[in-house]
């Protein structure tokens, strides 16, 4: 299930936004440094490097210690939103964000919790198959947080879409009673709503040291509200609704790539297959 709106102008002037996308400047050479997601002026996540040939990345930083839930809006999110304009939720959360163009997406997700280095870890699996291990550390990229995998599908033979929901704080910080309340609520058929600001990064190595060279489309939803709901859904194997505000122009993707997301997200879920890998290698050698 997906409902997509039209891009709309949201947000407040950047200095007044609680959440911002920023780029550090290197002390020497003046070139771009890390891409960051900041909360209340503190770096919260390091994002994929700007070049687009480095591995896709979201990495929680030590100063990521708070969520962005809003008082007075929770009653609209206990169940599913009827549409993208239900209850003024977009306007309310848009006021947390820097002024810009955002594509609203209303998704139904079935989250699966992943621990870095454990079963299903993208960074130790699909990413290593394309980029290989980090040449300095000899290890996979490490996001420093558990996260949720929710969807993946083929873009074409040489590209694959991976979707992630990333909590602002670790699930271990969640209140156990609230998680249990949502588990019970979901068992009775309720599908609550979570809210996220999202980015799309399209990354491909210039030279593929791994066995499966292709473009990785990383659709990352950073949770603004719904940390307890996502953990409960992953625990109970139940779906949640996710209101995504995709920040256009803040990811490593062309506008045409972002425009394709609603159609791609409506496709059947499919993992990267051996046939796709062979097809991508054949296309490179042709």
């Amino acid at each position: 299930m997906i409902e997509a709106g039209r891009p709309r102008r949201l947000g407040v002037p950047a200095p007044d936004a609680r959440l911002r996308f920023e780029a550090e400047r290197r002390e020497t050479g003046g070139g771009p440094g890390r891409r960051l997601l900041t909360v209340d002026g503190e770096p919260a996540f390091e994002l994929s490097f700007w070049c687009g040939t480095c591995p896709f990345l979201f990495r929680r930083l030590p100063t990521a210690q708070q969520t962005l839930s809003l008082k007075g809006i929770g009653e609209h999110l206990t169940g599913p939103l009827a549409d993208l304009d239900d209850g003024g939720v977009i306007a309310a959360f848009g006021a947390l964000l820097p002024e810009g163009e955002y594509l609203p997406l209303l998704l139904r997700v079935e989250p699966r919790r992943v621990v870095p280095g454990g079963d299903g870890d993208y960074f130790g699996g699909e990413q290593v198959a394309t980029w290989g291990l980090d040449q300095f550390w000899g290890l996979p990229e490490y996001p420093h947080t558990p996260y949720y995998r929710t969807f993946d599908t083929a873009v074409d033979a040489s590209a694959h879409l991976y979707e992630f929901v990333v909590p602002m704080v670790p699930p271990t910080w969640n209140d156990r009673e609230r998680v249990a309340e949502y588990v019970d609520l979901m068992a009775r058929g309720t599908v609550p709503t979570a809210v996220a600001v999202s980015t799309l990064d399209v990354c491909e190595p210039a030279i593929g040291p791994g066995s499966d060279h292709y473009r990785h489309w990383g659709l990352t939803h950073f949770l603004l509200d719904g940390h307890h709901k996502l953990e409960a859904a992953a625990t109970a194997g139940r779906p949640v609704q996710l209101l995504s505000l995709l920040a256009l122009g803040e990811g490593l993707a062309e506008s045409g790539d972002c425009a394709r997301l609603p159609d791609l997200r409506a496709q059947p879920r499919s993992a990267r297959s051996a046939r796709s890998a062979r097809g991508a290698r054949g296309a490179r050698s042709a």
Side-chain angles (χ1 to χ4, degrees), residues 76-279:
H76 296 288
L77 304 176
T78 302
L81 298 179
D83 55 56
L84 283 168
D85 292 313
D86 188 4
V89 174
I90 290 178
F93 282 95
L96 299 173
L97 307 177
E99 188 175 13
E101 294 289 321
Y102 294 84
L103 176 65
L105 300 169
L106 198 56
L107 309 171
R108 188 181 179 95
V109 301
E110 296 180 6
R112 175 167 53 97
R113 181 180 170 181
V114 174
V115 175
D119 291 343
D121 178 26
Y122 162 84
F123 296 97
E126 293 96 334
Q127 188 175 92
V128 168
T130 295
W131 275 271
L133 297 174
D134 182 277
Q135 293 185 2
F136 180 79
W137 297 108
L139 296 168
E141 294 288 345
Y142 193 75
H144 289 277
T145 182
Y147 60 93
Y148 302 98
R149 294 191 68 166
T150 50
F151 182 79
D152 54 297
T153 194
V155 177
D156 53 40
S158 59
H160 203 86
L161 172 67
Y162 298 99
E163 182 180 72
F164 310 91
V165 178
V166 181
M168 287 289 184
V169 296
T172 53
W173 290 18
N174 290 339
D175 181 271
R176 296 299 102 202
E177 290 186 3
R178 287 190 65 192
V179 173
E181 289 172 1
Y182 278 116
V183 169
D184 291 342
L185 192 65
M186 293 175 185
R188 298 195 294 270
T190 298
V191 180
T193 302
V195 183
V197 63
S198 309
T199 56
L200 176 65
D201 289 348
V202 178
C203 301
E204 179 181 13
I207 299 175
S211 60
D212 190 9
H213 183 118
Y214 62 100
R215 292 185 300 281
H216 291 229
W217 289 40
L219 176 59
T220 310
H221 306 293
F222 294 96
L223 276 180
L224 302 178
D225 184 279
H227 288 71
H228 296 88
K229 299 167 187 174
L230 264 291
E231 184 181 353
T235 299
R238 305 290 295 185
V240 295
Q241 190 180 67
L242 179 67
L243 172 60
S244 160
L245 302 177
L246 179 67
L248 304 176
E250 297 294 354
L252 304 179
E254 302 292 336
S255 59
D257 297 333
C258 294
R260 292 186 63 188
L261 276 179
D263 288 339
L264 290 171
R265 192 53 181 73
Q267 291 181 175
R269 183 173 183 169
S270 62
R272 175 78 175 169
S273 67
R275 175 181 293 181
S276 297
R278 290 195 298 270

